[in-house]
Amino acid sequence: MLEHFAKFVIAFDDIAEAGIRHSAQALGRRSFLSIIGGALVGAAALPMLPFDRSGGRAHALAAEDDKACEYWRYCALDGFLCTCCGGSVSSCPPGSEPSAVTWVGTCQNPQDGKTYVISYNDCCGVTSCGRCPCSSNVGERPGYRMGFHNDINWCMANDRTIYHCTIAAVIGVSESG
Ligand code: ABN
């Protein structure tokens, strides 16, 4: 067995040597060495290239972070995230109040694959928060379809109409998926 293996290695060695000799003769020694040198430098540089090694992990993590625009409930939210302004994903920061009118969208939760109905209430009565601006527009429509539009101040029907930030409360599961 060992003898067979040794013979195989020697044969392989001979073939490789013959191939290299042939290439060196055909190309000339200088260009043969420059090709080999280029290949070695190229192989050494490969691991330094900027490959994406994250495998989509960053995106998956952002889908669970309610202070990131990529959080799944914010798929149709246009405004400042209340989670960055002292509130939570479904309650307004202290001193502000939820808008009396709102627009409703649907977003898919990547954890269970279900589509949920989300109410995007603006929080009103305090000057604009200015933190974590987001503009996601899944299912959103232009202003002439007002009930499907997110780029307006939904505090318009409140006594205190100043816009502060936006929350995203789950109000049901979408039957249509
Ligand atoms: N619905 C958020 C918002 C408020 C004011 C202006 C534009 C968008």
Side-chain angles (χ1 to χ4, degrees), residues 70-87:
E70 293 75 20
Y71 181 57
W72 72 272
R73 281 198 210 182
Y74 301 154
C75 78
L77 184 152
D78 184 331
F80 303 117
L81 302 182
C82 286
T83 47
C84 298
C85 309

Side-chain angles (χ1 to χ4, degrees), residues 78-80 103 120 122 149-155 163 165-166:
D78 184 331
F80 303 117
W103 99 273
Y120 294 103
D122 287 341
H149 191 50
N150 62 10
D151 195 16
I152 52 171
N153 180 359
W154 285 105
C155 297
Y163 168 73
C165 61
T166 306

Side-chain angles (χ1 to χ4, degrees), residues 101-103 141-150 152-154 156:
V101 288
T102 178
W103 99 273
R141 293 289 175 269
Y144 58 82
R145 299 206 51 196
M146 213 171 140
F148 296 92
H149 191 50
N150 62 10
I152 52 171
N153 180 359
W154 285 105
M156 62 178 101

Side-chain angles (χ1 to χ4, degrees), residues 101-160:
V101 288
T102 178
W103 99 273
V104 163
T106 54
C107 301
Q108 192 180 44
N109 182 344
Q111 285 200 320
D112 61 11
K114 289 185 185 165
T115 301
Y116 290 86
V117 183
I118 313 285
S119 176
Y120 294 103
N121 289 75
D122 287 341
C123 293
C124 317
V126 177
T127 51
S128 189
C129 162
R131 286 193 285 277
C132 302
C134 296
S135 178
S136 303
N137 301 300
V138 174
E140 202 258 354
R141 293 289 175 269
Y144 58 82
R145 299 206 51 196
M146 213 171 140
F148 296 92
H149 191 50
N150 62 10
D151 195 16
I152 52 171
N153 180 359
W154 285 105
C155 297
M156 62 178 101
N158 287 43
D159 288 339
R160 299 189 294 158

